[in-house]
């Protein structure tokens, strides 16, 4: 009504002063724009008064077929790491099962209000920033899903602030019990289907069989264990274990050689070549004993014809083909050294560690697949509209004692600090 009457008046004015039809068109366009603009700001007022129920009104203005995902960032460096995925293209390029999703870090694209997003993803790394709790959304729509994205080991990175409880609706992590399960590596069968990680994987039953004929893999190798350090600050667990293992290996004239971080240097053609040519085994230490945490570290062995000696907190039978690795924690150092010596001196035994290649490939998982899964969840009407929340998120993420790991950072609240000091208060 408003638009029609104003435009009519305006049109009459134009006819009187004999302007052309083209100018009329321009005037009309201007008035439509003006009217639309007015509607937007009125809706802004509406939102303020009805914070939690406004979505259905506002959504009319966007592309109804798209699900909008906001990756919450607190600085431009984080935003840059998402730039490669910005928009809808990545979903199409990666052949996701559902492609009607749109990723952005721009909080303002939906009527300048982030309550209009279907999902907001919070990368765990932001929770270690100073004052992050003042940089989180200050309002949310009931229908929105807040998604915790965490790919760092929870034992090393517990989240302490109680405000994080009852904040997230979905989780997206390397832990099996996440809404979006996102492993670092995948084992596929020869037709390309993913068989692991899986809580109940059944491996082919002849993976332990050794055959005397096949000795190809061992030809150039002369040394026992390599370990390439990417991260120089290793934790106490492994630094206590290393001297023990070295001592045990010495009984068999075997060594554990560390590369990087001031230790040995890899050969000029790289660490991969060094491992491949010289070493029977590779120490695949995860840097953490967190459950379900198996990273691409094991690939340094699998990709280079070495057998991983895995050190981590996962149930590896759910992750890696049987008899393709040795689990450090199953043995004493002395027994482990004896076992390695036995395998090195018996090529048939050593070669059996590679039987998995007959049935499987082991690859790095595509990081974007989690976004595909998120898009699928957003399209799942039932899951999307069903209420869900992580009431005790902190102990879901890290179920050790938070008190042992959480200093009341920057707190000026006396009862919080005494609570922390007081053993009997669960922080
Ligand atoms: C975010 O989107 C708005 C439009 O809603 C645009 O004006 C602004 O430039 C964008 N910001 C960035 C950093 O791209
Ligand atoms: C999460 O943050 C880390 C550290 O800033 C970054 O390396 C990673 O790419 C981010 N991932 C996603 C999916 O945002
Ligand atoms: C121990 O191994 C080295 C090569 O790694 C070899 O040169 C040396 O002869 C071996 N010593 C014994 C006692 O076997
Ligand atoms: C490794 O390389 C660095 C720099 O090229 C050199 O300073 C160091 O002495 C080397 N270490 C060994 C053990 O060769
Ligand atoms: C998400 O969690 C919040 C906090 O518990 C809750 O208020 C909201 O209703 C939840 N939304 C959905 C869609 O599950
Ligand atoms: C201090 O923390 C306690 C919980 O430990 C809380 O109950 C109390 O309200 C807080 N006081 C202030 C002033 O924030
Ligand atoms: C520790 O906490 C318990 C339970 O809240 C309380 O009874 C006790 O007095 C506290 N002790 C100290 C030293 O604050």
């Amino acid at each position: 009504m408003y638009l029609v009457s104003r435009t009519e008046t305006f049109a009459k004015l134009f006819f009187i002063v004999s302007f052309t039809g083209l100018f009329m068109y321009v005037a009309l366009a201007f008035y439509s724009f003006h009217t639309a603009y007015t509607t937007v700001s009125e809706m802004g007022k509406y939102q303020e008064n009805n914070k939690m129920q406004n979505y259905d009104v506002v959504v009319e203005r966007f592309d109804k077929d798209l699900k909008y995902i906001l990756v919450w960032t607190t600085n431009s460096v984080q935003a840059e790491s998402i730039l490669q995925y910005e928009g809808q293209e990545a979903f199409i390029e990666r052949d996701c099962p559902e492609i009607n999703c749109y990723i952005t870090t721009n909080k303002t694209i939906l009527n300048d209000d982030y309550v209009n997003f279907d999902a907001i993803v919070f990368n765990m790394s932001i929770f270690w920033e100073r004052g992050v709790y003042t940089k989180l959304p200050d309002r949310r729509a009931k229908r929105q899903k807040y998604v915790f994205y965490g790919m760092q080991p929870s034992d090393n990175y517990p989240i302490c602030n109680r405000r994080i409880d009852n904040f997230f609706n979905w989780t997206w992590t390397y832990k099996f019990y996440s809404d979006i399960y996102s492993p670092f590596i995948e084992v596929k069968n020869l037709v390309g289907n993913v068989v692991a990680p899986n809580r109940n994987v059944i491996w082919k039953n002849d993976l332990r069989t050794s055959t005397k004929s096949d000795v190809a893999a061992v030809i150039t190798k002369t040394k026992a264990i390599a370990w390439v350090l990417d991260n120089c600050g290793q934790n106490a667990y492994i630094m206590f274990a290393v001297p023990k293992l070295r001592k045990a290996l010495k009984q068999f004239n075997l060594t554990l050689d560390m590369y990087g971080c001031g230790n040995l240097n890899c050969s000029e053609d790289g660490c991969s070549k060094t491992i491949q040519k010289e070493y029977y085994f590779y120490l695949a230490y995860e840097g953490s004993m967190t459950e379900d945490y198996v990273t691409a570290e094991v690939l340094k062995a699998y990709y280079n014809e070495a057998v991983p000696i895995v050190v981590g907190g996962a149930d590896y039978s759910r992750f890696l083909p049987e008899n393709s690795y040795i689990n450090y924690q199953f043995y004493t150092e002395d027994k482990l050294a004896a076992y390695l010596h036995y395998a090195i001196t018996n090529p048939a035994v050593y070669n059996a560690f590679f039987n998995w290649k007959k049935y499987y490939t082991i690859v790095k998982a595509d990081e974007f697949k989690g976004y595909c899964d998120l898009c699928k969840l957003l399209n799942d009407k039932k899951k999307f509209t069903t209420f869900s929340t992580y009431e005790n998120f902190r102990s879901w993420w890290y179920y050790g004692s938070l008190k042992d790991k959480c200093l009341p950072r920057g707190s000026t609240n006396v009862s919080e600090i005494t609570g922390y000091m007081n053993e009997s208060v669960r922080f």
Side-chain angles (χ1 to χ4, degrees):
M1 278 294 284
Y2 177 71
L3 173 70
V4 173
S5 62
R6 290 291 296 271
T7 312
E8 268 173 9
T9 320
F10 203 64
K12 276 179 204 155
L13 191 70
F14 272 108
F15 274 113
I16 291 160
V17 294
S18 307
F19 269 105
T20 61
L22 178 68
F23 274 97
M24 250 194 71
Y25 183 79
V26 172
L28 250 170
F30 173 76
Y31 268 90
S32 320
F33 171 78
H34 177 76
T35 312
Y37 181 79
T38 313
T39 317
V40 172
S41 42
E42 274 162 8
M43 205 161 284
K45 272 183 221 142
Y46 180 81
Q47 282 167 14
E48 271 176 23
N49 300 331
N50 300 275
K51 273 171 198 160
M52 290 302 180
Q53 311 92 353
N54 61 3
Y55 188 85
D56 286 332
V57 182
V58 182
V59 76
E60 307 290 343
R61 310 204 56 79
F62 318 132
D63 185 339
K64 275 186 201 160
D65 296 331
L66 284 182
K67 312 285 174 196
Y68 288 92
I69 299 165
L70 176 65
V71 180
W72 192 266
T73 54
T74 52
N75 62 51
S76 58
V77 178
Q78 294 162 8
E80 265 164 44
S81 73
I82 308 299
L83 212 58
Q84 53 177 328
Y85 302 141
E86 180 97 21
Q88 190 193 359
E89 285 76 24
F91 293 95
I92 300 164
E93 279 165 20
R94 312 278 174 128
D95 241 346
C96 296
E98 305 281 351
I99 57 168
N100 60 336
C101 289
Y102 189 99
I103 301 176
T104 186
T105 56
N106 190 332
K107 300 181 176 85
T108 66
I109 64 161
L110 302 184
N111 280 353
D112 199 5
D113 195 342
Y114 48 68
V115 301
N116 295 320
F117 283 90
D118 299 282
I120 302 183
V121 175
F122 298 86
N123 189 330
M124 65 180 279
S125 61
I126 72 170
F127 294 104
W128 276 267
E129 279 166 36
R130 243 187 137 70
V132 63
Y133 290 92
T134 63
K135 298 179 196 158
L136 296 180
D138 55 10
R139 62 198 186 286
R140 69 196 285 176
K142 266 195 182 127
R143 60 178 294 285
Q144 282 183 304
K145 293 289 187 187
Y146 279 17
V147 183
F148 173 78
Y149 172 81
M151 294 300 279
Q152 281 162 295
S154 57
D155 287 17
N156 305 21
Y157 297 93
I159 298 180
C160 298
N161 198 304
R162 63 169 65 80
R163 270 184 273 184
I164 218 64
D165 287 341
N166 212 10
F167 183 76
F168 298 112
N169 304 101
W170 283 341
T171 53
W172 165 8
T173 82
Y174 59 84
K175 289 182 192 282
F176 273 122
Y177 293 100
S178 303
D179 298 287
I180 296 167
Y181 172 57
S182 191
F184 294 93
I185 56 154
E186 285 173 343
V187 180
K188 296 181 175 180
N189 62 18
L190 295 185
V191 293
N193 296 328
V194 175
V195 296
N198 187 312
R199 280 192 292 262
N200 307 302
V201 58
I202 296 164
W203 300 107
K204 291 278 181 188
N205 58 18
D206 64 344
L207 294 179
R208 291 189 177 276
T209 317
S210 57
T211 45
K212 286 208 156 45
S213 58
D214 184 15
V215 289
V218 273
I219 288 169
T220 61
K221 296 184 193 283
T222 55
K223 299 174 183 172
I225 312 175
W227 180 21
V228 179
L229 289 83
D230 294 329
N231 169 8
C232 299
Q234 292 296 338
N235 79 16
Y237 172 82
I238 197 74
M239 284 318 179
F240 279 120
V242 163
K244 275 199 270 180
L245 181 58
R246 280 188 160 151
K247 197 168 157 222
L249 289 168
K250 212 170 172 184
Q251 304 168 69
F252 300 95
N253 194 24
L254 298 174
T255 56
L256 161 63
D257 300 334
M258 286 161 67
Y259 288 88
C261 297
N263 300 291
L264 297 168
N265 292 324
C266 295
S267 70
E268 263 168 25
D269 43 2
C271 291
S272 288
K273 279 279 177 300
T274 303
I275 298 166
Q276 193 181 340
K277 279 195 203 143
E278 300 181 28
Y279 288 92
Y280 285 94
F281 298 97
Y282 179 79
L283 188 76
Y285 172 55
E286 294 297 354
S288 170
M289 303 307 278
T290 301
E291 48 142 24
D292 300 343
Y293 188 70
V294 180
T295 67
E297 181 70 8
V298 292
L299 298 181
K300 289 188 196 160
Y302 287 124
Y303 282 2
N304 297 309
E305 309 290 328
V307 176
I309 298 171
V310 296
V311 193
D315 175 351
Y316 281 92
S317 69
R318 296 166 162 182
F319 287 82
L320 303 173
E322 202 176 306
N323 201 43
S324 72
Y325 62 94
I326 294 171
N327 193 334
Y328 185 93
Q329 287 174 290
F330 287 180
Y331 310 97
T332 62
E333 277 78 7
D334 282 339
K335 279 193 177 163
L336 181 62
Y339 185 27
L340 301 186
H341 176 72
Y342 175 70
I344 288 170
T345 50
N346 290 280
V349 172
Y350 183 73
N351 284 327
F353 282 118
F354 298 91
N355 283 349
W356 63 271
K357 290 190 170 189
K358 287 192 284 186
Y359 306 109
Y360 308 109
T361 58
I362 304 177
V363 297
K364 205 165 186 270
D366 179 7
E367 184 192 48
F368 193 79
K369 194 174 161 289
Y371 280 111
C372 288
D373 293 345
L374 176 56
C375 188
K376 210 168 139 195
L377 272 183
L378 292 172
N379 276 287
D380 184 330
K381 263 218 170 72
K382 185 152 181 269
K383 290 214 167 106
F384 182 65
T385 54
T386 304
F387 170 86
S388 58
T389 187
Y390 281 77
E391 209 175 313
N392 301 307
F393 177 79
R394 290 180 301 165
S395 40
W396 176 86
W397 175 241
Y398 172 71
Y399 48 71
S401 162
L402 284 169
K403 185 162 52 64
D404 295 343
K405 296 234 181 184
C406 298
L407 282 163
R409 272 167 238 248
S411 176
T412 51
N413 181 330
V414 175
S415 71
E416 268 189 6
I417 290 165
T418 49
Y420 171 76
M421 301 306 290
N422 184 341
E423 290 294 309
S424 62
V425 176
R426 187 150 194 283
F427 191 69

